[in-house]
């Protein structure tokens, strides 16, 4: 689907991409990771046809820069920062669907599954939505379109746990017949979503590996946490995951989406000093 051949990009005498060679095929779910400034966003912008660069990029045998309109019809893109669009939500949804001959009703349906009733905001300018609403709407547009290539830049970082679980379910429905490129500066945010990891450092590919692909993206884990004593900071963190406590604040119970387990354990590990026990098991 995507062929990247010896691609380099220079900004103000700084080589941001340095001879990138990659092939991305249907069924690949790729974590594109690296620190800030490693070249992740620049590579994505080149794929979208926004930058002139050395070397060659082909998306289904088309060059994004020369055939940008046709290439963008094949791509669903979720940016890290929502664009300042003043277009009404309803108009944005219909325009986005028309570009790739999709049904706008699919976008509305996806938005509902993410906890956003986009129909209520049809007449409201996109720029007037809250940050969370913008993120959910952009994901709804991306996953509601009939495209075979998903490019997402930190797509679920600001979603609440329930919306993240719905997001994982939606990705699971597309995992076999699309290619996904998920950019993140932290591997634990996306590790369970992917079957391949590409790491960039100073514009070069330093890791390109297949990874274990055994996590059911639709799974849910029952979780119980016991503390040595109640802790307000822990309570604030765990309540954001939708957990409920016992009356003394020392026992917490809730559900975690299977692909979120690593991220969840990372959040809990910050309070390891007060952990008395943790039990996680998949719901049958």
């Amino acid at each position: 689907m995507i062929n990247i051949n010896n691609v380099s990009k220079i900004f103000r005498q700084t080589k941001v991409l340095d001879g990138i060679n990659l092939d991305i095929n249907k069924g690949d779910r790729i974590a594109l990771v690296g620190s800030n400034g490693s070249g992740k966003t620049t590579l994505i912008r080149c794929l979208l046809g926004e930058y002139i660069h050395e070397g060659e990029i082909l998306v289904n045998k088309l060059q994004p820069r020369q055939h940008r309109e046709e290439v963008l019809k094949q791509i669903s893109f979720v940016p890290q920062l929502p664009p300042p669009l003043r277009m009404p939500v309803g108009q944005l949804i219909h325009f986005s669907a028309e570009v790739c001959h999709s049904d706008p009703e699919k976008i509305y349906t996806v938005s509902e599954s993410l906890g956003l009733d986009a129909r209520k905001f049809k007449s409201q300018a996109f720029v007037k939505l809250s940050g969370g609403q913008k993120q959910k709407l952009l994901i709804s547009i991306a996953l509601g379109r009939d495209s075979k290539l998903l490019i997402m830049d930190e797509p679920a970082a600001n979603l609440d746990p329930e919306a993240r679980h719905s997001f994982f379910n939606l990705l699971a429905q597309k995992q076999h017949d699309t290619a996904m490129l998920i950019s993140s500066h932290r591997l634990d945010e996306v590790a369970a979503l992917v079957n391949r990891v590409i790491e960039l450092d100073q514009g070069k590919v330093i890791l390109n590996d297949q990874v274990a692909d055994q996590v059911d993206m639709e799974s849910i884990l029952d979780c119980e946490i016991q503390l040595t004593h109640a802790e307000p900071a822990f309570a604030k963190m765990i309540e954001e995951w939708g957990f409920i406590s016992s009356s003394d604040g020392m026992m917490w119970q809730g559900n975690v989406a299977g692909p979120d387990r690593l991220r969840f354990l990372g959040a809990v590990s910050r309070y390891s000093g007060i952990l008395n026990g943790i039990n996680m098991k998949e719901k049958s």
Side-chain angles (χ1 to χ4, degrees), residues 7 16 23 69 75 80 87 104 109 211 214 217 245:
V7 168
V16 181
D23 290 318
E69 183 176 344
I75 296 175
Q80 181 180 10
M87 186 183 297
T109 299
V211 296
Q214 300 175 333
M217 286 200 286
S245 75

Side-chain angles (χ1 to χ4, degrees), residues 63 87 97 123 125 135 153 166-167 178 203 248 268 282:
Q63 296 181 3
M87 186 183 297
S123 301
Q135 187 76 349
D153 196 351
S166 296
F167 173 63
T178 63
D248 60 6
V268 171
E282 288 199 13

Side-chain angles (χ1 to χ4, degrees), residues 110-165:
V110 172
S111 75
E112 290 173 2
S113 71
L114 292 172
L116 174 71
D117 186 354
R119 289 181 177 85
K120 290 184 178 180
F121 304 95
K122 288 176 69 173
S123 301
Q124 188 169 332
F126 175 81
V127 74
K128 297 294 185 181
L129 299 179
S130 70
Q133 290 170 337
K134 290 175 183 175
Q135 187 76 349
K136 289 179 180 180
L137 184 59
L138 290 172
I139 291 173
S140 300
I141 290 172
L143 299 184
R145 291 172 37 147
D146 296 326
S147 57
K148 299 301 181 183
L149 176 58
L150 298 175
I151 299 178
M152 298 172 280
D153 196 351
E154 305 278 3
N158 298 316
L159 295 181
D160 56 84
E162 187 173 349
R164 285 176 67 92
H165 184 229

